[in-house]
Amino acid sequence: MVRLSVEEYKEAAKKPLVVVLDDVRSMYNVGSVFRTCDAFRVEAVYLCGISAKPPGKEIHKTALGAEDSVPWKYFESALDAVNELKQRGYLVYAIEQAEGSISDLDFHAEEGQRYAIVLGNEVKGVHQEVIDASDGCIEIRQDGTKHSMNVSVTAGIMIYRITRL
C-alpha cells in the first residue's frame, strides 16, 4: 500500500469538510475521529470545550499519529467554532436527533460547497445553542432498539457520506 508521509499529507489537497467536536470527553473518541479524518483527507478538526487536545497518550493510541497530520484548532465553545465557519462560507450541520432534522439518506453534498459537521458529547449530544446556530441537523437513520451511536462511529459514517457523495 502506498501511504503519504505526514509532510505529503499536509501538502495534499483536502476535502472541503471540517469536523467540530462539541465537548467530546473521551480521548479515545477524539483520537478515532482524527484517524478517520486522516483516512478521508478532511480539512481540519475543531476541538471545543472539554474535548481533549493533542498531545495525549490516549489520543495517540487511537489516532496512530493522525493527530500530527490532520490540522486542528481549539475553541472555548463549539458556538465560536460554528460562527467562524459560517463567516468563512461553510454550511454547518449538527449531527443530532432533533426536531426538523433530515435523514443522512436525504442529505446530498453539493460539489464546490464547504461543509462542517458538529458532533456532540457522548451523553448530552450537541449543545442546543450550537444546533440553533447551525444550518440544519442531520440524523443517521437507525433501525435497532438504541437511539444513539458512539460519536466516533457517527463521525465515520458522516465523514464517509460527505466526502464520497
Side-chain angles (χ1 to χ4, degrees):
M1 291 177 154
V2 177
R3 297 282 184 222
L4 300 176
S5 68
V6 171
E7 294 75 27
E8 290 169 328
Y9 181 93
K10 289 180 178 183
E11 297 299 320
K14 306 295 185 294
K15 301 294 191 312
L17 175 63
V18 173
V19 175
V20 179
L21 300 183
D22 180 10
D23 281 347
V24 173
R25 65 189 164 137
S26 166
M27 289 187 260
Y28 297 112
N29 282 333
V30 171
S32 181
V33 170
F34 267 102
R35 190 167 165 189
T36 302
C37 287
D38 176 279
F40 292 100
R41 265 198 236 162
V42 168
E43 186 178 323
V45 174
Y46 284 6
L47 303 168
C48 306
I50 66 167
S51 299
K53 304 177 290 291
K57 180 175 69 172
E58 292 88 351
I59 291 173
H60 183 72
K61 183 174 183 171
T62 51
L64 295 178
E67 72 276 25
D68 298 324
S69 58
V70 178
W72 62 273
K73 188 173 181 181
Y74 176 76
F75 291 83
E76 287 291 324
S77 78
L79 185 58
D80 293 340
V82 166
N83 288 334
E84 178 191 290
L85 288 160
K86 289 182 79 165
Q87 288 175 356
R88 293 176 45 211
Y90 286 79
L91 286 178
V92 178
Y93 287 91
I95 310 304
E96 188 64 77
Q97 298 169 346
E99 189 173 324
S101 64
I102 63 169
S103 168
D104 65 310
L105 301 175
D106 294 328
F107 175 79
H108 301 287
E110 296 177 28
E111 193 168 333
Q113 176 61 55
R114 296 184 300 174
Y115 292 95
I117 57 172
V118 183
L119 298 133
N121 176 271
E122 293 89 341
V123 175
K124 297 178 182 180
V126 178
H127 285 97
Q128 185 62 49
E129 66 269 13
V130 175
I131 292 171
D132 294 341
S134 296
D135 294 298
C137 285
I138 300 172
E139 179 175 337
I140 298 174
R141 191 184 91 181
Q142 299 171 49
D143 298 325
T145 62
K146 301 301 172 198
H147 297 284
S148 66
M149 291 185 288
N150 177 276
V151 66
S152 67
V153 172
T154 300
I157 291 168
M158 290 310 304
I159 291 166
Y160 179 83
R161 290 202 37 78
I162 292 172
T163 62
R164 294 300 186 233
L165 294 177

